[in-house]
Amino acid sequence: MIRPVLKDDAFLADVRAANLDDDDFRLWWLGQSGFLVQWKRSHLLLDPYLSDSLTKKYAATDKPHVRMTERIVDPARLDFIDVVTSSHNHTDHLDGETLIPLLKANPRIAMIAPAANRDFIANRLGVASSFPIGLRDGESAEAGPFRFTAVPAAHEELTPECLGYVVQFGRWSVYHSGDTLLYPGMAERLRPFNVDVALLPINGRAPERRVAGNLNGSEAAHLAKSIGARLVIPCHYEMFAFNTASPAEFIRVSTSIAQSYRVLRCGERWESREIS
């Protein structure tokens, strides 16, 4: 099993050490599509999956979710989170075993999610349907120091239940696509945001997996280039053995088209000073 670069006490110590009140920001890859963003002592969790709920759920089925990477941290220990997102209702993006202890540890936390999913979220997490800040395509909302704008995500079709988010704070713009394929007009929708960092899935689409597909490595590299992203970081791989991909093709294509990229290991910190 893949061991995170930093986990548990070491990971939390690294987050504390980086918690500066400056104009730069830091992020950590938490595995799958989960990221921790830190800016001016505020913390945003993007689509965290920090449990073994899917491995347990599918253990006795013909679609086992064998975990490839160890869990980075118990969500109950993340007691400093200001905002958390869910891009859609799939468990690796809306996990009760992650979010219920996270909400308990952070009584004042805000949640950003598709408006169409608010009742589903209320049922899964045991919260009021008014608790998530619900967004529709094109709508924006602020939570803490972060401004979120909803953009469509095709997983595999464009529906109100699946979104990506452009997150703006200070002089920075980060695009977290959620789970998505390419769709007509996607780059045109994103280009005006002047994205600094794009966080894109690379596990691709394979019908034999019997799950909704995503961008592959080549598509992620080309999308980042077409929207003018200053940097692209791949995600949604090395979590489940049946639904993963090597980042080799992403690296090859990014290099060939001169798209700046960074491949993170789970638990690794990235700092915006790399592109400042």
Side-chain angles (χ1 to χ4, degrees), residues 166-179:
V166 176
V167 189
Q168 296 168 297
F169 47 99
R171 61 191 175 99
W172 301 106
S173 178
V174 173
Y175 170 51
H176 185 271
S177 70
D179 283 357

Side-chain angles (χ1 to χ4, degrees), residues 37-162:
V37 176
Q38 179 190 77
W39 183 70
K40 286 191 174 293
R41 304 193 188 282
S42 293
H43 295 84
L44 162 65
L45 271 181
L46 297 165
D47 283 29
Y49 175 75
L50 300 171
S51 83
D52 287 323
S53 62
L54 286 169
T55 300
K56 291 182 289 186
K57 178 180 178 180
Y58 288 100
T61 73
D62 64 351
K63 193 165 61 178
H65 284 50
V66 177
R67 180 183 265 276
M68 298 176 66
T69 300
E70 295 177 359
R71 185 179 73 165
I72 184 172
V73 70
D74 180 346
R77 300 189 68 188
L78 301 177
D79 58 359
F80 49 84
I81 304 301
D82 299 285
V83 190
V84 64
T85 70
S86 170
S87 60
H88 62 289
N89 285 340
H90 287 169
T91 302
D92 54 333
H93 300 260
L94 181 70
D95 177 36
E97 291 189 20
T98 295
L99 294 171
I100 291 172
L102 182 74
L103 269 56
K104 184 177 180 180
N106 298 277
R108 297 183 179 181
I109 197 170
M111 184 177 192
I112 300 291
N117 298 348
R118 293 171 79 178
D119 289 342
F120 186 98
I121 291 168
N123 182 65
R124 176 165 288 186
L125 302 186
V127 297
S129 59
S130 59
F131 168 67
I133 300 171
L135 294 181
R136 299 173 179 83
D137 172 17
E139 291 183 340
S140 298
E142 294 184 0
F146 305 103
R147 178 178 176 82
F148 299 83
T149 300
V151 294
H155 193 47
E156 291 202 350
E157 298 178 353
L158 292 170
T159 67
E161 292 79 15
C162 296

